[in-house]
Every structure is written in C-alpha cells, then in structure tokens.
C-alpha cells in the first residue's frame, strides 16, 4: 500500500515538473559572435564598399597615336524641329573634332527661328578625355552605321548622331519622339552627353 502511494506521488511530481518546464520561457541565448566571425563580417562589408565602377578597357581610351598627336575623331549631332511654325522652330548642331594638336567644339543653336549661338572653341584635353570615357561607357563605338531612312515624311525631321575614331564608324537616325521611348536609353544617353558639351 505504501509503495502504491509512493508511486502515485512520484508520478504527480514528474507531471508537475514537466508543466513547470513548459511554462518556463525559452531563456536560451545565442552565443556572442566570436571576434573571428565578427572580423570576417567587417571584412566582407569593406570589400563591398571598395568595389570599383566598371572600367573601360585601356586600349579603347588611347586617344593619341605613337607620335603624341590626337587620333582623327569626329562627332556630329544634328537635331531640328522640322517644318513647324517659326515660333516653334529650333535646330541644334554640335560637332566635336580633333586636329593634330587640339580639339575643337563647334555649336550652332537656333531657337524660335533665330540664331542664338554660333561658336567654335578649343577644348581642354581633360574635358575631351572625360567626354570620350562617358560616350564609350554607352558604347558609341559599337553602334552600327545606319542608312538614311527610306520613308521621308513631310514636316518630320530625321535627326542623327555620327561618330568616327580612326577606322571605327557609327551613325544612327531618329525622330524627336524616339527620345521618349524607354527602350532608347543608350542612344538617348549618348545624345544627352553631347548636348551637355560646353567649352
């Protein structure tokens, strides 16, 4: 009889101990990160911040020949409003061209039918280098030579950008509405770089 009572009491104690264990909150704490793993984490973040921007291959940036003269290069951007009323008429023609020892930027701008800018000025080599780096990032040197559009619409202007550097040549045509096309990002970026050129 006594052994039965002991057995029942033992069972009750075990059940109560199990309930108490469940009721206790999980106080398990994650161990502090070791100095080694913490150092690794810092090293990873440093590597991320030190990532360098995409570089252009150095051979594509050789803008001078062995004698130290500028390689023959010419960019022309020509954009106009087409046949519209004089108060809305505009035209822009920018030309960047190298000579033996200098770089010339020519700009001609017509607004509301009136000539407001017509100049040719020498450009600093640093500016020229920077512009060419930007244009090469948008791969102006990889665009094909397009033919003049066969269909010519009255009142619609066909604008263009042409580029040559030694034996590399490219040219593309466009209408003004093409510049609003999201898929036209590359060519539109090239136009914007040229449009922002100033002596």
């Amino acid at each position: 009889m006594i052994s039965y009572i002991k057995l029942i009491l033992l069972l009750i104690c075990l059940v109560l101990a199990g309930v108490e264990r469940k009721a206790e909150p999980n106080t398990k704490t994650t161990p502090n990160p070791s100095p080694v793993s913490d150092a690794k984490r810092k090293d990873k973040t440093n590597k991320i911040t030190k990532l360098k921007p995409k570089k252009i291959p150095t051979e594509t940036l050789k803008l001078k020949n062995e004698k130290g003269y500028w390689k023959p290069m010419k960019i022309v951007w020509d954009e106009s409003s087409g046949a519209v009323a004089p108060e809305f008429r505009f035209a822009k023609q920018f030309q960047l061209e190298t000579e033996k020892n200098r770089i010339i930027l020519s700009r001609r701008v017509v607004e509301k039918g009136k000539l407001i800018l017509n100049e040719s000025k020498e450009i600093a080599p640093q500016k020229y280098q920077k512009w060419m780096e930007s244009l090469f990032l948008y791969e102006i040197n990889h665009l094909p030579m397009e033919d003049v559009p066969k269909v010519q619409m009255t009142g619609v202007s066909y604008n263009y950008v042409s580029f040559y550097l030694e034996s590399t040549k490219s040219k593309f045509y466009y209408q003004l509405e093409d510049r609003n096309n999201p898929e036209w990002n590359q060519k539109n970026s090239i136009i914007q770089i040229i449009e922002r050129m100033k002596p």
Side-chain angles (χ1 to χ4, degrees):
M1 183 77 176
I2 293 168
S3 59
Y4 282 119
I5 293 167
K6 282 182 181 178
L7 184 63
I8 289 167
L9 287 171
L10 182 65
L11 287 171
I12 290 168
C13 288
L14 287 172
V15 170
L16 288 173
V19 170
E20 279 177 20
R21 211 172 278 154
K22 279 182 187 176
E24 283 175 17
N26 187 5
T27 55
K28 229 180 192 181
T29 56
T30 53
N32 286 333
S34 66
V36 176
S37 64
D38 198 39
K40 279 183 185 175
R41 195 179 294 112
K42 279 179 186 173
D43 188 44
K44 276 184 185 177
T45 54
N46 285 345
K47 278 180 185 173
I48 291 165
T49 53
K50 285 178 186 175
L51 284 176
K52 291 179 181 177
K54 181 186 169 186
K55 278 192 173 181
I56 307 161
T58 50
E59 65 271 11
T60 60
L61 291 177
K62 288 180 181 173
L63 301 173
K64 287 188 173 184
N65 60 24
E66 294 89 11
K67 294 180 180 178
Y69 299 130
W70 294 112
K71 290 180 180 178
M73 191 287 308
K74 188 176 183 180
I75 294 171
V76 178
W77 170 54
D78 196 304
E79 183 177 285
S80 66
S81 55
V84 294
E87 61 268 24
F88 302 110
R89 201 170 293 161
F90 75 88
K92 297 175 185 177
Q93 189 183 71
F94 284 27
Q95 182 174 296
L96 184 67
E97 189 172 13
T98 57
E99 293 178 2
K100 213 173 179 180
N101 289 310
R102 59 186 195 147
I103 308 115
I104 304 295
L105 175 66
S106 301
R107 301 186 301 157
R108 188 174 188 275
V109 179
V110 173
E111 284 183 7
K112 297 180 181 178
K114 292 180 181 179
L115 182 67
I116 62 161
L117 180 66
N118 191 14
E119 66 175 19
S120 289
K121 291 192 175 180
E122 192 171 342
I123 299 302
Q126 296 85 352
K127 274 190 179 183
Y128 175 58
Q129 180 84 19
K130 190 178 176 183
W131 292 341
M132 293 301 283
E133 283 175 9
S134 301
L135 290 166
F136 272 56
L137 278 173
Y138 287 100
E139 300 184 327
I140 191 172
N141 53 320
H142 291 163
L143 292 171
M145 279 289 292
E146 292 180 8
D147 294 323
V148 183
K150 289 177 182 176
V151 180
Q152 298 285 331
M153 291 181 278
T154 308
V156 175
S157 65
Y158 281 95
N159 314 291
Y160 70 89
V161 171
S162 66
F163 166 80
Y164 90 80
L165 175 64
E166 288 191 307
S167 59
T168 305
K169 292 181 180 180
S170 67
K171 189 171 189 176
F172 64 87
Y173 292 87
Y174 66 97
Q175 295 176 28
L176 292 175
E177 55 266 27
D178 291 330
R179 294 190 65 177
N180 300 320
N181 187 344
E183 294 172 9
W184 230 67
N185 181 51
Q186 179 195 8
K187 291 177 179 177
N188 204 28
S189 298
I190 288 168
I191 294 167
Q192 286 170 353
I193 291 164
I194 300 169
E195 195 171 15
R196 287 195 292 264
M197 288 179 180
K198 288 180 183 176

